[in-house]
Amino acid sequence: MEKWENNKAWFLVLPVFIIVAFSSILPIMTVVNYSIQDIWGPGQSIFVGTEWYEEMLADHRLHDALWRQFLFSGLVLLIEMPLGILLALAMPKRGWGVSASLVTMSLPLLIPWNTIGTIWIIFTRPDIGLFGAAVNQLVEFDHTARPLDAWITLMLMEVWHWTPLVTLLAYAGLRAIPEAYYQAAKIDGASTWSTFWYIQLPKMRGVLTIAFLLRFMDSFLIYAEPFVLTGGGPGNSTTFLSIYLVKIALLQFDLGPGGAFSLIYFVIVLLFSYMFYQALQRVGKGEKV
Amino acid sequence: MAQIALKEIAHSYIANPKDESDYALKRIHSEWEDGGAYALLGPSGCGKTTLLNVISGLLTPSQGRVFYDGNDVTGLPPEKRNIAQVFQFPVLYDTMSVFNNLAFPLRNRGIQESEVKKRVLEVAEILELTPFLKKRAAGLTADAKQKISLGRGLVRSDVAAILFDEPLTVIDPHLKWHLRRKLKEVHDQLKLTLIYVTHDQVEALTFADQVMVMYEGELVQSGTPQELYESPQHKFVGFFIGSPGMNFLTCTLEGNTARVDGAGIMLDDEVAALGQKAQGKLELGIRPMFLEVHAQSVEGSIPARVKAVADQGSFKILTIDLAGHTLRARLTEGQAVPQNEAWLRFPTRWTKLFAGGRLVSK
C-alpha cells in the first residue's frame, strides 16, 4: 500500500497531547526548571546548569539510600513473588472457600497506607503490641532502636501488605488455564512439579510480569509506610530514596537539589522497569529455549 | 493396544441423582475391538465427551465398570491406563521445543534417553514433524500443534488407545482433510484403537469403520456408516445422519397399511404385525433419497404437491406437501422434476416404521 503525507492527521493527536501535557509534561518541566536554578526566594533565582545534578550524583547519603532501596526492592521481589504464587496455588478452586479466601486476601490492600504504618507501630511495640510483646519474651526486639529489627518489621509489614496483590494476580492467571492442560499433563504422567513448571508457570507469565513490575515500581517508590513506622531511622538505616528526597525538598526546602534528585530517581525507575519488561518479554518469547 | 469393554456405565455430575434426566450417561454397554477406528457421533451435550473421559480415566463413572483386555481399570487414573487423548484445541507445553514435547510422556515414565530419541524421531517422521523438531512448539500453526498432541500419544509404544475429542475444531477447512487422511494413515500403519468424538457426520463417516451414535446420554446405534444410513435403529439416527435427514410421518396402522391422514402406504407384512403390538407413537420414516417422485400416477402411488425445488448441483431437493405434512425428496440429475402435481411412491424396503422413536424390525 502506498503511503502519503497528510499533516492534518496531527490534529487528531492534539487532544491526547493536551491531556498528557497537563498530567505529566508540565509538572515534570516544573521540576526540570527547579533542578537547573538556585532559588533562594520568590523571584530570586540564578541559572546554575548541571551543578545540582553533579552535587546529588556525588552525594554519598543518596548513594546509601539508593543501595538501601535496591536491597529493599530486591528482598520484596524475592519474598513476595514466590510466596504470592504459592498462596495462589494453595487457594481453593471451587466452593465457598473461593470467596472467603479472596476477601481475606484483599483486606490488606484496602487499608490506607499511612494507617498500615500506624497499625504496625502498635502491633510491634514491645510494651503493648501483640507481636512486639510476644517476641520480647524470647529475644530483645525493638524497631525504634535497632536497625536490623527495623528492617525485619518493615519487611514483615511490606510482605503482609502487598503479597496479596501477587496472589490475586497469580490466582487469576491460574484460573484462566483450561482444564484440558491438566488432563493432558495427567495422561502424559507429569509430576506436580512438572505440571507447575511446564504448564502453570508459563501460562501465568503475563500476569506475573505485571505483578513483578508493579511490585518493583511500588516498592522502589515506597514512602508512607516506612515514614510512619520508622521515619527513616534508627539513624539512617531505613532512609529510602523517597524519604531522603522529601527531607531535602520539603524539610530543608532545597528546591534545586530536590528537583535534580527527583529526575535522577525518575530515570532510575524508568530504566529498571524497561529492562525488566524487556527481559521478561524475551523469556516469554522463548529466545532461550 | 487393547480391547475396551464398557459394562453398564452410567454417570451423573450431580451428587445424588434422582431421575433419568440427572444422568449425563445412561446405561452404556458396549465393546470396542482392538485396533478398530471408532467414531462417537452426536449433538453437543449428548454425553460424548463424558463417555470419552470415562474411557480415558479422567472421570470415574457413578456406576458400571470399564475393562481393558478383560482387566477392570475403573478405579485407575489416566496415566496408569496407557491411554492418550487429543483435545479439542491443541494442548502443548509452550516453553518446550517440539522434540521435548514429544519426549515428555516418555521421560516422565523414566525411559532411557536413547530409546526416547529413537521413538521421537520415528513418530516425527510419521507425522511429518521432523523439520520442526528443534523449534518451539508455541510458534507453530494449529494443525502442526494438533499433530504434536497426537504425537505425544503415538510415542508411547504401549499405548492402549488414542482418544480424540473433536480434534479438528480449530483447524482450517482445507487442512482438515489433510489431517483426517493423516489419521487414517496412522491407523492403517500402527493398528491402534482410535476413538474419535465429533458432532460432524462427515468426519465420523469418513474416519471410522464403526460409528456409534449417541443421543441424550445413550448409545442409540452402532454400526458401519452404511448400516446407519440404511436402517437407523432410532428416529434420532435417521434425523441426524444424512442431509437432509429422514422424513417422518405420524401414522396409524390398518392391517399392513399405514394411514397418514387418509393416504395409505403399504408396509412389510411382518413389520406391520410387529407394529400392531408395539408401544408408543407410530411413525413412518423414509430417506429423501429413497422416496420416489413421479410426474404421473403409477401403481401404489399417492398424490402430493411440490412446493419448492432446491438445486444442489448434482441433485435436487424437493419440498413436497402430502396431506399437510412436509416431506423432502432427493432427485438425482436427469430425473424429471414434476411441477406442482406429483405422485409419491414409498418403496416397501425403504419405508421404516418407528414406535416410540425406535425402529420396528423383524
Side-chain angles (χ1 to χ4, degrees), chain B residues 40-347:
Chain B
L40 209 53
L41 180 66
S44 301
C46 73
K48 294 173 304 215
T49 301
T50 307
L51 182 58
L52 204 66
N53 289 344
V54 164
I55 296 174
S56 68
L58 289 168
L59 208 61
T60 308
S62 323
Q63 291 159 35
R65 323 286 318 161
V66 183
F67 294 89
Y68 283 16
D69 282 337
N71 302 318
D72 189 342
V73 296
T74 318
L76 291 184
E79 64 270 24
K80 297 251 167 67
R81 291 193 188 186
N82 287 331
I83 206 99
Q85 191 160 349
V86 178
F87 295 89
Q88 202 161 5
F89 57 89
V91 174
L92 295 177
Y93 304 105
D94 295 340
T95 50
M96 292 188 203
S97 66
V98 173
F99 184 95
N100 288 339
N101 256 282
L102 293 175
F104 193 57
L106 297 178
R107 287 178 179 157
N108 285 334
R109 286 170 174 77
I111 287 164
Q112 290 235 315
E113 201 56 27
S114 58
E115 176 66 16
V116 169
K117 194 167 180 209
K118 196 176 131 244
R119 288 295 301 170
V120 170
L121 292 179
E122 264 175 39
V123 167
E125 199 56 45
I126 296 174
L127 296 174
E128 297 162 18
L129 286 170
T130 316
F132 307 115
L133 279 177
K134 289 215 165 62
K135 285 207 179 139
R136 249 168 80 115
L140 299 177
T141 54
D143 61 308
K145 285 181 179 174
Q146 219 38 331
K147 282 203 258 179
I148 297 170
S149 311
L150 171 61
R152 283 210 313 273
L154 296 180
V155 285
R156 288 157 50 192
S157 51
D158 58 346
V159 77
I162 303 186
L163 315 180
F164 299 87
D165 192 356
E166 306 192 17
L168 301 183
T169 311
V170 295
I171 309 294
D172 283 344
H174 67 284
L175 289 171
K176 277 189 183 176
W177 179 82
H178 170 78
L179 218 61
R180 218 154 53 205
R181 206 195 44 176
K182 195 85 234 168
L183 272 182
K184 265 284 202 205
E185 258 176 56
V186 167
H187 181 245
D188 293 342
Q189 213 173 329
L190 303 175
K191 299 277 175 256
L192 289 167
T193 311
L194 302 184
I195 302 173
Y196 189 106
V197 161
T198 179
H199 59 248
D200 183 335
Q201 51 166 309
V202 179
E203 260 175 40
L205 299 178
T206 53
F207 169 80
D209 313 326
Q210 285 278 314
V211 178
M212 315 223 165
V213 183
M214 281 192 78
Y215 178 61
E216 291 187 342
E218 281 179 77
L219 268 182
V220 286
Q221 187 173 4
S222 87
T224 62
Q226 195 187 354
E227 283 166 6
L228 294 181
Y229 192 78
E230 290 183 354
S231 44
Q233 296 294 309
H234 190 277
K235 201 182 154 186
F236 174 76
V237 179
F239 159 79
F240 197 67
I241 289 175
S243 174
M246 210 167 194
N247 293 305
F248 290 100
L249 297 164
T250 310
C251 67
T252 52
L253 283 180
E254 273 176 26
N256 64 350
T257 309
R259 290 255 161 234
V260 180
D261 290 335
I265 295 159
M266 287 278 283
L267 289 176
D268 185 275
D269 292 342
E270 279 181 65
V271 169
L274 285 169
Q276 300 280 15
K277 285 178 249 159
Q279 299 282 315
K281 188 177 144 194
L282 289 175
E283 279 165 299
L284 273 188
I286 186 164
R287 291 266 178 212
M289 198 180 145
F290 300 133
L291 183 61
E292 287 177 21
V293 186
H294 299 276
Q296 275 95 37
S297 173
V298 294
E299 200 204 331
S301 69
I302 42 179
R305 216 164 50 77
V306 177
K307 287 205 296 195
V309 179
D311 199 333
Q312 309 268 325
S314 60
F315 59 90
K316 292 184 174 65
I317 301 291
L318 268 59
T319 308
I320 298 163
D321 182 79
L322 173 70
H325 299 276
T326 301
L327 294 177
R328 284 179 214 284
R330 181 175 152 147
L331 263 60
T332 46
E333 218 172 1
Q335 263 183 287
V337 179
Q339 304 292 322
N340 235 333
E341 291 282 282
W343 276 265
L344 298 180
R345 209 172 75 85
F346 291 74

Side-chain angles (χ1 to χ4, degrees), chain B residues 16-38:
Chain B
N16 294 305
K18 289 189 183 66
D19 59 56
E20 278 264 283
S21 62
D22 287 343
Y23 282 90
L25 291 178
K26 307 162 192 165
R27 298 181 308 274
I28 304 277
H29 195 80
S30 170
E31 284 201 2
W32 315 60
E33 288 308 316
D34 185 11
Y38 293 92

Side-chain angles (χ1 to χ4, degrees), chain A residues 107-125:
Chain A
L107 282 178
L109 299 172
L110 298 174
I111 302 170
W113 298 351
N114 48 2
T115 312
I116 287 195
T118 316
I119 291 174
W120 279 80
I121 286 184
I122 298 168
F123 188 48
T124 52
R125 268 180 67 153

Side-chain angles (χ1 to χ4, degrees), chain A residues 12 17 36 46 88 98 113 130 146 197-198 205 217 239:
Chain A
L12 299 174
F17 179 77
I36 50 172
I46 186 169
V98 176
W113 298 351
L130 182 63
R146 290 140 57 108
W197 188 250
Y198 294 115
R205 195 191 81 235
M217 287 190 283
T239 301

